[in-house]
Amino acid sequence: MLRYFEDVAVGDRFGSRSYVVTEEAIKAFASEFDVQRFHLDATAGATSDFGGLVASGWHTAAIAMRLFTTGELQFVGGAIGLAVDELRWPAAVHPGDTLQLTTEILEARRSRSKNGRGIIRIRNVMTNQVGAVVLSYSALAMVQTRGVA
Amino acid sequence: MLRYFEDVAVGDRFGSRSYVVTEEAIKAFASEFDVQRFHLDATAGATSDFGGLVASGWHTAAIAMRLFTTGELQFVGGAIGLAVDELRWPAAVHPGDTLQLTTEILEARRSRSKNGRGIIRIRNVMTNQVGAVVLSYSALAMVQTRGVA
């Protein structure tokens, strides 16, 4: 179901598919974008503060976006991200973890500057297979309204 | 040069290499992590608010991390990201753009909870070939101190 701005309300919550993180994916992302050794090599990870190979925080954030853009909350014309705040990684992501995302609508208002657009603030929380939060943030996004206000 | 916590001071600034963003890279990242049409297809991008194919904001953030982890500011044992705030994308990233990152030290203090660690707050600003800011954020990171305090 593709939604317009008018189809969501503060407090609505939306789920996602599951995503299994592989060691290969962790290393592939890190070798392209975050070449710190604890993201590239299990031995280096074991001797780091992490105690093992862990995914880059930016990989974790990218996985959250995958779960968001394939999840239950989809808008006609997409959702254009304007700002992200309070991005946190309370627990590390390890090979074999299964992740899921929950999205909650925190605010919704019509755009003051752009006709036909609404602004939503969402909170995204991603958890692993034991329910530990591995990532959370709030985001402002612009979406389409059904009718011109 | 690999640094310890003691080797940086508030106000220090560090540069990066350059990174050229290709259309293929934009589409590859989007197909894995941000499957919105304006990141996947030039035609869909042209009819969107962006007016052309643009990189996912999370791709842009990942490129910034690549420039950070290959840039002038490198720490012994790496820099472990704790938090990111005020993540913004003032201008879109298009195929062919050349990006560079500047990192400034905003705060530096010893960890209160972990011996041998310091906490730095940095501001990362990434610009394109005409000097437009395409991404900015502030981040807290944990790094190693030279000696136990």
Side-chain angles (χ1 to χ4, degrees):
Chain A
M1 173 190 173
L2 285 174
R3 288 175 169 85
Y4 289 95
F5 170 75
E6 291 86 345
D7 300 324
V8 299
V10 172
D12 286 352
R13 292 166 72 95
F14 303 91
S16 79
R17 305 178 186 189
S18 294
Y19 185 92
V20 179
V21 185
T22 66
E23 181 170 336
E24 293 66 36
I26 289 174
K27 292 177 178 175
F29 187 98
S31 67
E32 191 170 356
F33 297 118
D34 187 349
V35 295
Q36 302 194 89
R37 291 185 61 224
F38 38 78
H39 300 314
L40 285 166
D41 180 271
T43 308
T47 59
S48 75
D49 287 353
F50 293 117
L53 185 73
V54 295
S56 166
W58 296 105
H59 188 191
T60 306
I63 292 168
M65 193 59 184
R66 179 194 175 97
L67 291 176
F68 180 72
T69 57
T70 59
E72 291 175 356
L73 179 58
Q74 297 303 316
F75 287 96
V76 175
I80 295 179
L82 304 176
V84 164
D85 282 283
E86 297 175 10
L87 179 52
R88 303 290 183 271
W89 298 271
V93 172
H94 299 273
D97 281 356
T98 301
L99 307 179
Q100 277 193 297
L101 185 77
T102 301
T103 300
E104 182 180 354
I105 308 288
L106 300 184
E107 301 171 30
R109 62 171 173 83
R110 285 180 183 272
S111 169
R112 286 182 284 261
S113 58
K114 274 201 133 173
N115 228 352
R117 295 291 184 275
I119 308 289
I120 57 170
R121 179 176 289 282
I122 60 173
R123 180 166 171 78
N124 275 340
V125 176
M126 192 162 67
T127 52
N128 65 16
Q129 65 282 356
V130 295
V133 175
V134 297
L135 169 139
S136 63
Y137 62 86
S138 75
L140 272 187
M142 190 167 65
V143 300
Q144 293 186 20
T145 60
R146 182 169 275 116
V148 175
Chain B
M1 172 191 176
L2 284 175
R3 289 177 169 84
Y4 290 94
F5 170 76
E6 291 86 346
D7 300 324
V8 299
V10 172
D12 286 353
R13 292 166 72 96
F14 303 90
S16 79
R17 305 179 185 187
S18 294
Y19 185 92
V20 178
V21 185
T22 66
E23 181 170 336
E24 293 65 37
I26 288 175
K27 292 178 178 175
F29 188 98
S31 67
E32 191 171 356
F33 296 119
D34 186 349
V35 295
Q36 301 193 90
R37 292 185 61 220
F38 38 77
H39 300 315
L40 286 166
D41 181 90
T43 308
T47 59
S48 76
D49 286 353
F50 293 119
L53 186 73
V54 294
S56 166
W58 296 105
H59 188 191
T60 308
I63 291 168
M65 193 61 185
R66 179 193 175 98
L67 291 175
F68 180 72
T69 59
T70 59
E72 290 176 356
L73 178 59
Q74 298 302 317
F75 288 96
V76 175
I80 295 179
L82 304 176
V84 164
D85 283 281
E86 296 175 11
L87 178 54
R88 302 289 183 272
W89 298 272
V93 172
H94 298 274
D97 282 355
T98 301
L99 307 180
Q100 276 193 296
L101 186 77
T102 301
T103 299
E104 181 179 353
I105 309 287
L106 300 184
E107 301 171 30
R109 63 172 173 83
R110 286 181 182 271
S111 170
R112 286 182 284 262
S113 58
K114 274 202 132 170
N115 228 352
R117 297 290 183 273
I119 308 288
I120 56 170
R121 180 176 287 283
I122 60 173
R123 180 167 171 79
N124 275 340
V125 176
M126 190 161 68
T127 51
N128 64 16
Q129 65 281 356
V130 295
V133 175
V134 297
L135 170 138
S136 63
Y137 62 85
S138 76
L140 271 187
M142 190 168 65
V143 300
Q144 292 186 23
T145 61
R146 181 169 276 115
V148 176

